[in-house]
Amino acid sequence: MEETQHFVAKTFAGIEPVLADELARLGARNCRIMSRAVAFEGDMDMMYRANYFCRCALRILWRQKTFKFQNNRQYYEQIFDFPAEKFLRRDGTMAVHTTCADSIFKTPLYASVLAKDAICDRFRDLYDERPDVDRENPDVQFHLHIYKDEAQLFVDSSGESLHKRGYKVRNHPAPINEVVAAAMIAMSKWHGECDFIDPMCGGATLPIEAAMTALNIPAGFYRREYGFLHWKNFDPESWNRIRKEARIAEDVAINFYASDINPRFLDIARENIRRARLEDFITVEKYDAFRFKPQRVPALVMMNPPYGERLELEDTEAFYGNIGRALKYNFSGCRAFVISSDLQALKRVGLKPSTKATLYNGQLECRFLGYELFEGDRKHHIINKKQS
Ligand SMILES: C[S@@+](CC[C@H](N)C(=O)[O-])C[C@H]1O[C@@H](n2cnc3c(N)ncnc32)[C@H](O)[C@@H]1O
């Protein structure tokens, strides 16, 4: 049996429990929720699996060692002792990323430089040559998390953030992050049982993530690059075997609708959908969201309306009032989810949310609100629901 390895999957605040569930379903052991991360255990296959299948992780770090230190010398020696040559080729490139709090290092930069020196000195001793540093695109990215007098040394198995799925040909000016979109879908508890509608779709992130979820397309299906592909100890056989675990559905009995009022954004949506090879599943049409009516009920409506900060809106509060009215009168019988960073304007939706969460679209704090939409008033809906 392969040795248990220790990993940390990074994500955005608010998504940790969803990610922990996802990892546990993929076979991760001992999942522990941390701040903007989930620690877990597993073998090397699990590392490849998390990178390929996790929709809600930004990167997967593999812990190599934990050590205590009192001064620069001890810190340097601990890193010098680490066999970086397992990962890094003699002619390879590397980078060190450090976070530190309450430590002897006043800035993470100095801790990174010292770690880089330790690794280079080790290579000089072993091979008489040293690896180059490439901060943009290294073959091996080391991460050091330093808290007080303890450091954890990780290698970053993902490389570029996993939200970069590989299907975005062009970005909308105010996109929702793919990891946040996937978490919203997971939090809605929608599993593809009814149509999915995004009436303000921009670059179509939400409909693409929804279609990938319903069709069981792995999060990494379109992605070509991962950090571990450049490691000296990369195991292509395991990686190919893990990718073959995907069970992609050929078809689903539901439809996906992506519409927007701006034709320029619909061009972006179409290009992204084509790149994801989902044009047979997602219908793209120009519509004013306030006139959109679902073809079938129930359906799931999910939207990320403009919020003034990145897209201009003349009267934000009136706009959100219109969202509330459209949901109530055009989508009754459906469930709806709205994410926005405009907390004041969100109040103007005027419907009582049945679920509420705080999520972060990058740095932007957002509310994610869910509504059950029914005809008439809420009291009668609850009474009818209890009677049926
Ligand atoms: C924040 S963006 C959505 C970004 C999208 N989630 C993505 O990831 O690319 C909001 C979108 O709402 C659209 N929009 C604004 N008013 C609209 C309306 N009345 N009907 C439909 N779409 C509208 C804008 O054109 C914009 O593309």
Side-chain angles (χ1 to χ4, degrees):
M1 220 181 87
E2 266 202 67
E3 221 183 304
T4 297
Q5 305 294 335
H6 298 265
F7 302 98
V8 168
K10 299 261 215 170
T11 190
F12 293 117
I15 298 181
E16 302 92 335
V18 185
L19 174 58
D21 270 5
E22 199 180 27
L23 283 162
R25 269 187 279 112
L26 290 172
R29 294 190 302 273
N30 231 338
C31 297
R32 276 157 295 125
I33 290 177
M34 308 194 303
S35 165
R36 288 180 283 137
V38 175
F40 65 99
E41 292 168 11
D43 55 15
M44 289 298 297
D45 281 2
M46 188 60 224
M47 186 195 75
Y48 292 132
R49 204 174 278 126
N51 271 290
Y52 193 54
F53 289 100
C54 260
R55 299 187 195 283
C56 297
L58 290 168
R59 61 183 66 250
I60 311 293
L61 305 179
W62 180 11
R63 197 175 79 200
Q64 298 300 310
K65 75 184 277 185
T66 302
F67 59 90
K68 290 207 184 277
F69 61 98
Q70 303 298 333
N71 50 46
N72 292 1
R73 181 90 232 146
Q74 286 173 4
Y75 172 83
Y76 170 93
E77 280 169 1
Q78 286 283 353
I79 295 173
F80 184 91
D81 285 346
F82 167 66
E85 64 280 5
K86 266 194 343 194
F87 296 90
L88 187 56
R89 292 194 175 80
R90 292 152 71 157
D91 57 353
T93 58
M94 67 144 169
V96 182
H97 174 85
T98 307
T99 56
C100 59
D102 260 0
S103 109
I104 57 165
F105 298 117
K106 295 286 166 281
T107 66
L109 182 66
Y110 186 64
S112 290
V113 170
L114 207 55
K116 186 236 356 157
D117 286 350
I119 295 168
C120 287
D121 290 350
R122 182 180 173 93
F123 270 64
R124 239 187 245 113
D125 279 10
L126 284 173
Y127 309 118
D128 217 15
E129 57 184 302
R130 48 154 284 181
D132 284 332
V133 172
D134 180 347
R135 274 188 209 90
E136 296 306 315
N137 203 11
D139 294 328
V140 184
Q141 168 99 50
F142 298 100
H143 280 234
L144 276 149
H145 292 182
I146 302 170
Y147 180 62
K148 294 194 169 159
D149 59 350
E150 190 174 277
Q152 297 188 71
L153 172 62
F154 297 90
V155 273
D156 179 346
S157 66
S158 307
E160 255 201 320
S161 169
L162 294 173
H163 82 272
K164 299 205 170 167
R165 309 277 204 229
Y167 62 69
K168 285 265 169 91
V169 181
R170 278 198 290 150
N171 240 327
H172 184 274
I176 192 91
N177 182 288
E178 291 78 347
V179 160
V180 179
M184 287 161 60
I185 292 163
M187 289 162 91
S188 77
K189 307 261 190 280
W190 174 89
H191 300 290
E193 58 286 349
C194 62
D195 291 352
F196 184 99
I197 302 165
D198 180 353
M200 299 193 187
C201 73
T205 319
L206 283 163
I208 293 175
E209 290 293 325
M212 288 172 73
T213 302
L215 287 159
N216 237 342
I217 299 172
F221 186 71
Y222 309 103
R223 188 176 152 118
R224 295 286 155 261
E225 270 301 318
Y226 292 89
F228 57 72
L229 296 175
H230 304 276
W231 293 353
K232 198 164 116 189
N233 51 352
F234 166 56
D235 175 1
E237 269 175 37
S238 300
W239 172 232
N240 289 334
R241 179 167 40 75
I242 294 302
R243 283 189 300 169
K244 286 191 188 135
E245 287 176 1
R247 296 285 169 265
I248 300 176
E250 270 183 35
D251 204 356
V252 278
I254 56 165
N255 296 320
F256 301 85
Y257 297 95
S259 55
D260 200 288
I261 203 161
N262 188 329
R264 205 158 45 88
F265 297 150
L266 286 175
D267 286 344
I268 301 178
R270 282 195 193 92
E271 281 184 54
N272 293 339
I273 290 168
R274 206 174 307 125
R275 167 68 65 88
R277 283 167 270 152
L278 289 170
E279 59 271 54
D280 291 344
F281 296 93
I282 305 175
T283 306
V284 182
E285 258 171 327
K286 180 175 176 293
Y287 262 111
D288 181 343
F290 305 130
R291 292 172 187 276
F292 192 106
K293 291 205 172 154
Q295 303 211 345
R296 294 193 285 194
V297 170
L300 190 102
V301 191
M302 199 172 268
M303 64 173 105
N304 163 216
Y307 40 79
E309 206 159 295
R310 288 193 228 163
L311 294 173
E312 303 251 318
L313 272 185
E314 264 176 30
D315 183 345
T316 314
E317 299 207 356
F319 186 88
Y320 277 69
N322 289 339
I323 292 178
R325 273 185 289 282
L327 290 179
K328 186 165 170 58
Y329 296 112
N330 298 346
F331 290 95
S332 75
C334 299
R335 286 196 301 136
F337 289 86
V338 179
I339 189 166
S340 176
S341 64
D342 196 329
L343 312 188
Q344 211 45 41
L346 263 178
K347 290 189 185 142
R348 298 299 294 268
V349 170
L351 303 170
K352 193 169 167 53
S354 49
T355 53
K356 276 188 201 175
T358 298
L359 292 176
Y360 289 81
N361 189 26
Q363 301 294 315
L364 224 50
E365 182 183 337
C366 301
R367 287 292 174 277
F368 177 52
L369 303 178
Y371 305 94
E372 280 193 47
L373 307 166
F374 39 81
E375 276 182 85
D377 62 43
R378 188 179 159 80
K379 201 166 98 194
H380 284 98
H381 171 73
I382 293 169
I383 293 169
N384 289 340
K385 223 175 156 184
K386 276 187 185 155
Q387 283 170 351
S388 64

